[in-house]
Amino acid sequence: MCGRARECLWHAVPPRKEPCERDAGLREFRGRRLMLRSRIIPCLLMQDSGLVKTRQFGDPKYVGDPINAVKIYNEKQVDELSIYDIDATVQGRGPDFDHLRSIAVESRMPLCYGGGVRSAADAVKLIKLGFEKVSVSAAAVERPALIRELADAVGRQSVVVTVDVKKGGLLGRLGVFTHNGKRAAKVKLADFVPMIEDQGAGEIVINHIDRDGMMQGYDLELARSVRAAVDIPTTMLGGAGSVDHMRELIDAIGTCGAAAGSLFVFNGVYRAVLISYARP
């Protein structure tokens, strides 16, 4: 390290003075260091300890073993991997910690888990297993104060709220749904999204049920409205069928998370199972 840079690290900057990092070389390095890029996130759905992929939250198709998938994604050096147990909340049970431990042990990438998390104790246990993020959905809708409890227990950066949305009602407006899209929530989407940030979540995931597994592109209008409503990182899930769809999302809302399921587990028009990964 040059003496000029070392001086910056060891001495405070006086009031109304510019830090010496304004030197061209250090400024260039700092710019590179702070540059953010969008995260491309495979999303895996667990059911009965195996992996499935759904269409509009129905018609689950078996796609393999989660540990094998994790090993493949390790080699592909994915940005992050999200795993959701889609039956935990519906069946009224908590996370399968033993199974999740075996998954976390194999992973060499950041992991997010959701499904059946209902307390700060659940979140703490998941973090200790090796998961970087914990996602809540129905439990946060039922009791938004849980978001704050989780943030206090494991840190805001580790708390994700996943919001499942689809069109419903006489007017066909987007609403919040829980329990695999079977139960309509009383809260309005426009009210719930900013509440998530206010309660202390570090990230919001919007999962579009109508587009799940359809591979026809993200809902860009929805993405723009959510991004405008919050300052925390935003991830969109539901609809990605190509890297071009991800590029369209990033172009529409800037740095974000672009999550996908079918795109990274199926290949071709016959939806043959093939674990893959690609970036726009």
Side-chain angles (χ1 to χ4, degrees), residues 177-199:
F177 285 75
T178 63
H179 295 75
N180 288 345
K182 301 296 192 298
R183 188 178 300 180
K186 295 181 180 179
V187 65
K188 293 182 179 179
L189 180 61
D191 296 331
F192 189 50
V193 166
M195 182 192 304
I196 290 170
E197 182 174 21
D198 292 342
Q199 288 291 335

Side-chain angles (χ1 to χ4, degrees), residues 141-153:
V141 173
E142 296 166 4
R143 193 170 68 86
L146 173 63
I147 303 171
R148 175 63 62 187
E149 294 169 11
L150 298 182
D152 290 343

Side-chain angles (χ1 to χ4, degrees), residues 205-234:
V205 176
I206 302 296
N207 189 6
H208 203 309
I209 299 173
D210 296 326
R211 294 177 181 247
D212 171 54
M214 305 309 290
M215 303 182 73
Q216 296 177 351
Y218 295 100
D219 185 335
L220 299 183
E221 181 180 352
L222 173 62
R224 291 188 186 96
S225 64
V226 171
R227 193 68 194 90
V230 296
D231 292 323
I232 57 177
T234 301

Side-chain angles (χ1 to χ4, degrees), residues 14-160:
R16 293 184 294 277
K17 296 291 185 180
E18 293 288 344
C20 62
E21 277 192 328
R22 287 181 64 88
D23 285 5
L26 288 177
R27 184 169 66 249
E28 181 181 1
F29 170 77
R30 182 179 63 180
R32 290 176 182 172
R33 182 182 60 190
L34 295 181
M35 185 178 297
L36 300 176
R37 75 172 188 178
S38 293
R39 294 163 295 129
I40 307 303
I41 308 166
C43 178
L44 302 179
L45 307 180
M46 285 200 313
Q47 187 176 61
D48 297 329
S49 298
L51 295 180
V52 299
K53 186 63 196 80
T54 58
R55 276 184 172 177
Q56 298 180 330
F57 278 29
D59 188 26
K61 178 179 179 180
Y62 179 76
V63 296
D65 176 75
I67 293 179
N68 287 338
V70 165
K71 290 179 179 178
I72 294 171
Y73 284 127
N74 280 337
E75 297 303 317
K76 295 184 179 298
Q77 299 182 330
V78 307
D79 296 334
E80 181 179 325
L81 182 65
S82 292
I83 301 173
Y84 294 93
D85 185 329
I86 62 175
D87 285 341
T89 295
V90 174
Q91 296 175 356
R93 60 173 173 81
D96 184 344
F97 292 109
D98 289 338
H99 191 210
L100 293 172
R101 180 182 292 108
S102 66
I103 292 173
V105 165
E106 294 293 341
S107 177
R108 301 197 303 268
M109 70 205 108
L111 290 175
C112 175
Y113 170 79
V117 177
R118 302 193 65 84
S119 69
D122 287 341
V124 170
K125 194 167 184 178
L126 287 163
I127 296 297
K128 288 182 177 179
L129 289 182
F131 288 82
E132 280 75 18
K133 297 180 182 179
V134 178
S135 174
V136 288
S137 183
V141 173
E142 296 166 4
R143 193 170 68 86
L146 173 63
I147 303 171
R148 175 63 62 187
E149 294 169 11
L150 298 182
D152 290 343
V154 300
R156 179 171 186 160
Q157 75 286 344
S158 293
V159 179
V160 178

